[in-house]
Amino acid sequence: MAHATLSPAAPQPAHVPDALVYDFDVHADPGLLADPHARILDLLKTAPPVFWTPRNGGGWVALTHAANYEASRDTETYSSEFVPADKMKALLASLPPGAPHIPQPIPITLDPPEHTKYRQPLQKVFSPKTIAALKDSIRELAGELIDAIKADGQCEFMSTVAEPLPVQVFLKMLGLPLERLPEYRQIVKEHMEAIDTDREGSMRRLQRIAAAMRDTVLERRDNPKDDIISMLWKLEVDGQPSTLADMENYGVLLFIAGLDTVMNGMGLAMRGLALDLPLQAKLRAEPKLVAEAAEEMLRRYTFTVPMRVIKKPAELAGAKMMPGDMLKLFLPAADLDAKEFPQPDSYDLDRENNVHIAFGVGPHRCLGSHLARVELQVLYEEMLARLPEFRLDPDKPTVFHGGHVIGIESLNLVWDV
């Protein structure tokens, strides 16, 4: 189990009643780091449906499916613009000539209609048709990674398969050099581990990400290839051609999303399979069930925790919020809400309702969900086809991490050879 220090406690605002205060640190809660989804099931039983925590700068956490669904769709109240557009424009205008651009992860930090304007051009890149064309190459890479560990009878799954598979796929899609993978991953890891309220630090980290991509971004402007960076240079928003600032805004979002999120889903899914040997046997016998199995695994082990800022007085599941309050959409809890999913802790391949919100809901629903689904399904198929029954290594406990993407640091699997 990983250990982390709880963040300092923020003062309780006057509008927050004692009954809605629950001490929970999304980065360092001991229960979360011991077994995140067991702790989340406990939260659903012991915490208010929406509660205020003094940790991570102080803010609200929405647990129930209904609260997460409502807040995700109401962008006028629960906003993704943590720095209002007019303030950001004023800040950028005030920078001295030659000062480094401060990238904004667009379109995720925008609300409609601006969000729609910047998201629409990316839809084609991540369409089901485009992603389907990548399936064979994803399968080939997955096979190579799994075959490389097969004879060992054991592996640390995150470093040998879960990280290199989606990260290599995405670096190739973007057009970034594979040999810089370790450097890129370290930059993203530092960004994801940062505390919510460190806005200046966030800006510096985003600048570092942009700087790491800049050589390739500029090279593709002059020498385009068949990759996402080259495609982004061809985009027009409001009839204006892309600038380097636009490229960095798009680039930092794609970089963070593509180089971190899916690997956590893969780790949680493989741990789930390693704990459920009858399910492994069933899927080996009936591979056609893998697509449905992947959806139920996404529900059972949802991993993303998006953030919102309150823009006007609101009430969510009985919690009264004020402008400036922060809200975590705790999607892993939403998909374990017994009111929406009976016996939520059970992995049920025949579940009547497995319409999860692991990829979010509303305007900000994950743009890369098609790619994630293909990668997860291919990984299931190849792991089950190429390896015998795999189990958790009893001598090497799984190490988890919290944060905005809940996941696994190390996952040791064993099998008979």
Side-chain angles (χ1 to χ4, degrees):
M1 181 181 114
H3 294 277
T5 303
L6 294 177
S7 68
Q12 180 179 337
H15 65 279
V16 177
D18 292 344
L20 293 185
V21 176
Y22 189 98
D23 196 348
F24 176 73
D25 188 322
V26 72
H27 290 273
D29 179 80
L32 197 71
L33 298 182
D35 187 337
H37 290 82
R39 172 60 168 140
I40 291 164
L41 285 163
D42 175 65
L43 277 175
L44 284 159
K45 295 173 183 175
T46 60
V50 174
F51 65 84
W52 188 89
T53 174
R55 306 298 171 182
N56 313 124
W60 297 98
V61 178
L63 294 179
T64 62
H65 188 279
N68 277 280
Y69 194 89
E70 178 182 342
S72 296
R73 294 171 62 85
D74 182 358
T75 57
E76 291 185 8
T77 306
Y78 309 97
S79 171
S80 295
E81 292 186 355
F82 301 102
V83 179
D86 55 344
K87 287 188 177 180
M88 179 52 68
K89 288 177 182 176
L91 172 63
L92 295 176
S94 70
L95 295 174
H101 172 62
I102 300 174
Q104 296 301 300
I106 284 176
I108 205 170
T109 54
L110 298 174
D111 294 328
E114 285 289 293
H115 168 268
T116 309
K117 182 171 69 178
Y118 283 94
R119 179 181 169 115
Q120 193 62 39
L122 295 175
Q123 299 280 43
K124 184 179 178 181
V125 184
F126 295 99
S127 70
K129 182 179 178 181
T130 304
I131 299 307
L134 298 171
K135 193 169 186 176
D136 288 345
S137 62
I138 293 171
R139 189 176 303 281
E140 181 181 359
L141 176 56
E144 291 172 359
L145 294 169
I146 295 165
D147 285 349
I149 58 175
K150 183 175 181 178
D152 298 336
Q154 60 83 34
C155 74
E156 194 293 294
F157 178 75
M158 300 307 294
S159 59
T160 56
V161 180
E163 180 176 0
L165 176 56
V167 173
Q168 284 190 42
V169 167
F170 209 78
L171 288 179
K172 287 179 181 177
M173 287 179 69
L174 277 172
L176 293 170
L178 292 181
E179 60 270 17
R180 293 181 67 182
L181 187 153
E183 172 198 351
Y184 293 150
R185 274 290 303 141
Q186 183 59 35
I187 294 172
V188 171
K189 195 167 186 293
E190 289 175 8
H191 182 75
M192 298 303 290
E193 289 174 351
I195 302 302
D196 311 332
T197 52
D198 182 13
R199 294 287 173 216
E200 289 186 13
S202 176
M203 290 179 181
R204 289 193 298 271
R205 289 187 298 275
L206 291 171
Q207 285 179 322
R208 186 181 173 198
I209 291 171
M213 302 174 67
R214 192 168 294 129
D215 287 350
T216 303
V217 168
L218 291 172
E219 200 275 332
R220 290 297 189 278
R221 180 186 61 188
D222 303 324
N223 300 290
K225 295 185 179 181
D226 184 20
D227 55 42
I228 291 176
I229 292 176
S230 300
M231 181 279 297
L232 291 175
W233 274 116
K234 300 174 185 175
L235 296 183
E236 289 189 358
V237 177
D238 286 344
Q240 298 299 312
S242 293
T243 65
L244 179 58
D246 293 328
M247 293 294 294
E248 292 185 348
N249 290 342
Y250 273 132
V252 292
L253 170 64
L254 295 173
F255 191 94
I256 294 166
L259 270 65
D260 185 82
T261 311
V262 180
M263 63 178 287
N264 292 288
M266 289 180 169
L268 292 164
M270 284 306 115
R271 177 176 176 268
L273 275 177
L275 288 168
D276 194 339
L277 303 186
L279 176 61
Q280 281 193 49
K282 186 176 181 68
L283 295 178
R284 283 192 172 91
E286 301 179 74
K288 68 180 186 299
L289 296 176
V290 164
E292 281 300 307
E295 292 306 304
E296 174 67 350
M297 200 65 84
L298 280 164
R299 181 205 65 81
R300 179 63 181 84
Y301 299 110
T302 297
F303 44 91
T304 56
V305 185
M307 290 284 295
R308 298 289 185 266
V309 60
I310 311 305
K311 282 297 175 77
K312 58 185 180 182
E315 185 169 326
L316 186 65
K320 293 181 179 178
M321 304 176 181
M322 297 301 291
D325 286 359
M326 303 301 294
L327 170 67
K328 287 182 174 67
L329 300 176
F330 214 60
L331 302 185
D335 280 338
L336 292 175
D337 184 349
K339 288 183 179 178
E340 188 71 16
F341 304 102
Q343 296 182 301
D345 56 331
S346 296
Y347 179 97
D348 183 358
L349 198 49
D350 299 317
R351 185 178 292 279
E352 284 190 23
N353 169 28
N354 70 348
V355 184
H356 58 77
I357 54 173
F359 295 119
V361 67
H364 285 285
R365 189 181 183 281
C366 175
L367 189 65
S369 61
H370 300 305
L371 175 60
R373 278 194 164 99
V374 168
E375 290 176 328
L376 287 165
Q377 290 175 21
V378 166
L379 174 66
Y380 277 37
E381 291 166 354
E382 296 304 309
M383 285 286 286
L384 294 166
R386 293 171 186 268
L387 293 181
E389 178 184 272
F390 51 87
R391 310 170 298 278
L392 296 182
D393 187 335
D395 298 323
K396 297 175 181 176
T398 302
V399 179
F400 300 95
H401 65 77
H404 297 292
V405 180
I406 291 168
I408 294 177
E409 289 290 313
S410 63
L411 174 66
N412 288 277
L413 302 176
V414 295
W415 54 90
D416 298 329
V417 293

